[in-house]
Amino acid sequence: MLHRLVTPTVLTVGFAAAVVTASSVPAAADNDESTGLPKTQDIVEELRDDGVFVDPDIEVGTARDAVPQSDIAGLENAAAQADEPVHYVLIPEGNATSEVGVDAFMEPVMDEVGDGLYGVLSGSDHFYVTSPNIESTQEIREIALSEGDGNPIQTLAAIPDAADQLQDAQDANATSSLFLLAILVFLVAGGGWYVYNSRKRQKIAKAAQLQEMKQMVTEDVVRLGEDVSRLEIDLASVDEDTRTDYSRAMDSYDRAKSLLDTVQEPEQIRMVTGALEDGRHHMAATRARMNGEPVPERRGPCFFNPQHGPSVTGVVWAPPGGTPREVTACSQCAQAVRTGGLPDVRLVEVNGERRPYYEAGPAYASYASGYFGMNMMMGMFTGMMMSSMMGSMMGMGMTGAEGMDGAGDFGGDFGGGGFGDFGGFGGFDF
């Protein structure tokens, strides 16, 4: 049972003289002689009858100092019309003037009468609201005080209206909370829908991009396979070094095919192009040995088209509107640049359009990194590329292409600055 009693408040009324103190008037016969308070059973009977108990020591009638009978009738009427059971207890001043006292006085009464609100007025100075089942008695008391305008009877009579006002306010708050909750649910659902659709679109775009990249790398794998098959060589008639380089070239081709079949993410493309770069190096070494020429130093691929194999020289070149830079090139591409022609640039498929691989966007960094290795990429792609592409490369945990022996020496082939002013995949900024 919950009792939330309130602190007393002085009430100034004209009938204060009628509510005499227990010490100034001898206790009536039906009062508890040990406390001066009326007996519990007497209060219970009156409250069950009409909802109002007036202590016998309080004069009610038409006398000058009496509580008007009409006021008591007004309380009875308020109790009868209240939606929530309301009971009124009027006792002389000096009795139950503290929360502890009211609690002790009213608890057995409420046990007998039951749930509801109980307004207790002790003299003209102490007003309490308590209940065995309602927790908001403090708030109800405050509203009743404001409605009663300092009149004790009006304050008591205002308890039902105060309870209704509080309930309306709580209902409004609950409605507002539900509305806010509905908005929150809508926002969360909307956010979830947006995230879901964004991820779905990203997944579709990624799948399409991966398909484009796999098609591109398939062309490179086929190109190396054709190169290997065109080289007619009798392994039994060549020396051990030539046989070793040719066997490594074939192994690299087989490894590239196998890796291509397992590619599930765009960043895995670098493993395929790394194997292709390794195979092209060994093909160049095989041809040199068969022709009786020195085995060429391992260099980075032709920048314009890695399908061309290892580069043989550096050449000053600039894309349209760009700044001239020295790039690595095979002999054919180098000759084209020097004579004012167009090098054979590697084109890739991007959204149904063929464009140079170095203008294909950050996702194609994986393709380039497999061919050129991390050290070369660090030298080639800085500036704007560092922000637009290298983050993607770092995210794939790139530490250099697999199978690229000596990749760490590639940077020296670019004449110091190398590709230092490249802007980034998606457009160079030379």
Side-chain angles (χ1 to χ4, degrees):
M1 182 178 300
L2 176 62
H3 303 284
R4 295 186 56 187
L5 306 183
V6 299
T7 56
T9 297
V10 175
L11 304 176
T12 305
V13 295
F15 83 114
V19 190
V20 295
T21 66
S23 59
S24 62
V25 176
D30 54 355
N31 280 12
D32 188 333
E33 294 182 359
S34 63
T35 63
L37 290 169
K39 295 179 179 179
T40 297
Q41 196 57 39
D42 293 339
I43 301 174
V44 169
E45 291 177 0
E46 289 292 329
L47 294 183
R48 286 176 174 173
D49 181 33
D50 54 21
V52 179
F53 172 81
V54 181
D55 190 279
D57 288 339
I58 298 176
E59 184 179 357
V60 178
T62 59
R64 176 182 177 186
D65 296 330
V67 177
Q69 182 62 47
S70 60
D71 286 352
I72 303 303
L75 292 177
E76 293 173 353
N77 184 60
Q81 295 183 0
D83 294 332
E84 180 76 19
V86 176
H87 313 281
Y88 301 107
V89 177
L90 285 72
I91 56 179
E93 186 175 353
N95 293 290
T97 57
S98 69
E99 293 184 4
V100 175
V102 171
D103 189 31
F105 168 52
M106 290 300 300
E107 185 169 348
V109 174
M110 293 187 292
D111 286 343
E112 292 288 334
V113 178
D115 292 343
L117 290 167
Y118 292 79
V120 180
L121 182 64
S122 177
S124 60
D125 295 337
H126 305 284
F127 168 60
Y128 303 86
V129 177
T130 187
S131 172
N133 65 303
I134 298 174
E135 296 183 357
S136 305
T137 53
Q138 173 69 20
E139 292 87 345
I140 294 172
R141 172 187 176 274
E142 295 296 334
I143 297 173
L145 283 170
S146 64
E147 294 290 324
D149 196 24
N151 185 301
I153 299 301
Q154 291 181 13
T155 300
L156 286 170
I159 290 177
D161 184 59
D164 291 342
Q165 290 185 43
L166 181 62
Q167 185 62 51
D168 291 343
Q170 291 174 341
D171 291 344
N173 288 337
T175 301
S176 177
S177 297
L178 289 174
F179 178 71
L180 293 176
L181 180 60
I183 293 177
L184 179 60
V185 170
F186 175 78
L187 292 175
V188 170
W193 178 86
Y194 175 79
V195 170
Y196 169 78
N197 280 274
S198 296
R199 290 178 176 174
K200 184 177 180 180
R201 289 193 299 269
Q202 291 173 359
K203 185 176 181 180
I204 294 174
K206 185 176 181 180
Q209 186 179 69
L210 178 61
Q211 184 60 36
E212 292 174 349
M213 295 181 69
K214 290 183 70 172
Q215 178 60 39
M216 170 188 69
V217 178
T218 298
E219 296 173 5
D220 288 18
V221 172
V222 171
R223 182 78 171 262
L224 176 61
E226 292 173 346
D227 192 24
V228 170
S229 64
R230 279 196 302 267
L231 186 60
E232 296 181 359
I233 181 173
D234 182 3
L235 294 179
S237 64
V238 298
D239 59 36
E240 181 66 23
D241 290 338
T242 302
R243 186 163 47 250
T244 298
D245 274 323
Y246 186 68
S247 296
R248 287 180 177 175
M250 290 191 295
D251 290 343
S252 296
Y253 168 67
D254 291 337
R255 186 168 71 254
K257 288 196 302 181
S258 176
L259 289 170
L260 182 60
D261 290 338
T262 64
V263 167
Q264 300 294 326
E265 301 289 338
E267 54 266 24
Q268 294 174 334
I269 293 295
R270 68 184 179 86
M271 296 186 292
V272 182
T273 53
L276 292 175
E277 193 281 333
D278 196 54
R280 293 196 178 281
H281 166 72
H282 290 298
M283 283 299 295
T286 299
R287 284 193 172 90
R289 295 183 191 280
M290 291 180 64
N291 295 331
E293 301 172 352
V295 174
E297 177 187 1
R298 186 159 188 172
R299 296 172 56 91
C302 174
F303 165 74
F304 299 103
N305 191 337
Q307 290 179 344
H308 295 168
S311 61
V312 298
T313 187
V315 63
V316 177
W317 171 84
T323 303
R325 275 290 174 181
E326 185 176 0
V327 298
T328 56
C330 64
S331 58
Q332 292 85 353
C333 288
Q335 181 64 22
V337 171
R338 288 169 181 156
T339 59
L342 296 176
D344 179 22
V345 175
R346 176 69 169 103
L347 301 178
V348 298
E349 189 83 12
V350 181
N351 296 326
E353 178 185 354
R354 307 246 337 152
R355 63 178 63 183
Y357 77 94
Y358 47 76
E359 294 181 358
Y364 287 83
S366 178
Y367 173 82
S369 70
Y371 276 123
F372 294 100
M374 184 60 173
N375 289 337
M376 178 177 286
M377 294 295 287
M378 289 296 292
M380 290 170 58
F381 306 109
T382 56
M384 290 177 62
M385 179 170 285
M386 290 297 289
S387 61
S388 65
M389 184 197 73
M390 293 303 289
S392 173
M393 292 167 55
M394 295 300 183
M396 47 174 107
M398 188 179 68
T399 57
E402 295 182 18
M404 294 184 64
D405 300 332
D409 297 331
F410 290 173
D413 295 331
F414 294 95
F419 292 71
D421 291 338
F422 272 58
F425 274 15
F428 283 115
D429 181 22
F430 286 89

